[in-house]
Amino acid sequence: MKDQKINHKDISALSNFHSPTYGEMDFDEVVERVIKYISEDKNNNYKIIIGTDSELTTDCVADFVTAVVLHRVGLGGIYFWSRLSHNSIHSLRQRMWEEASYSLLLAQRVMEEFRKRNLLNLNLEIHVDIGKNGDTREMINEIVGMIRGSGFEVKTKPDAFGASNVADRHT
């Protein structure tokens, strides 16, 4: 499966996923795998975590990796990731906004699929790779506000392992 280059906000391009456990999958297969994983042990609590990390590869080109983590609280979990390349990234601020936007758009897409299947009791968190220390501290209120305003719980560093650990592993 090839990594994809996309235009800004073409979230449908986030359809080719990789899983260390299950291999290559499309978006629908990821949703079905998440549902199956939950159905195998319905008595546990689950969190769905979506996070994006990025890395500049060349002048103004960044690779974005978005991870979907299904955490069986206290008992591990599974994850899936997808990579996109985006041209015309000119600043850290722009890159952080892109990361948050990709996560938010994928979270909305995931929740839409869960609504179709009456699975609205799942907790979904968006993890953003920003924190109170470092160059990203000035953006916390803006980005957290955008995500909370869209109806999602949000975690920042050091609690944002979906972005800063899982997605980061594949950038």
Side-chain angles (χ1 to χ4, degrees), residues 51-113:
T52 303
D53 192 28
S54 65
E55 180 176 84
L56 286 175
T57 57
T58 60
D59 287 342
C60 300
V61 176
D63 278 339
F64 292 85
V65 172
T66 301
V68 177
V69 179
L70 179 57
H71 182 206
R72 190 177 279 160
V73 179
L75 297 171
I78 57 175
Y79 75 94
F80 312 87
W81 59 275
S82 184
R83 180 188 317 273
L84 302 171
S85 292
H86 182 45
N87 298 323
S88 301
I89 300 295
H90 299 286
S91 68
L92 176 64
R93 175 176 283 281
Q94 181 186 8
R95 199 163 49 117
M96 294 302 102
W97 274 97
E98 292 295 317
E99 287 181 11
S101 295
Y102 287 135
S103 293
L104 178 58
L105 290 168
L106 185 59
Q108 291 168 334
R109 188 173 173 204
V110 166
M111 289 307 294
E112 180 180 320
E113 290 301 316

Side-chain angles (χ1 to χ4, degrees), residues 93 96-97 100 128-148 154-158:
R93 175 176 283 281
M96 294 302 102
W97 274 97
V128 291
D129 197 25
I130 58 175
K132 293 180 181 178
N133 299 318
D135 296 336
T136 61
R137 67 183 174 277
E138 298 172 0
M139 297 174 251
I140 287 179
N141 290 339
E142 300 165 29
I143 291 175
V144 167
M146 173 186 70
I147 293 169
R148 282 191 182 143
V154 61
K155 300 285 185 186
T156 60
K157 288 179 181 178

Side-chain angles (χ1 to χ4, degrees), residues 25-43:
M25 310 174 89
D26 65 23
F27 176 77
D28 293 330
E29 290 171 316
V30 169
V31 171
E32 292 304 320
R33 179 53 64 184
V34 165
I35 292 168
K36 183 176 181 185
Y37 190 80
I38 292 169
S39 71
E40 291 169 357
D41 191 353
K42 293 181 181 180
N43 294 325

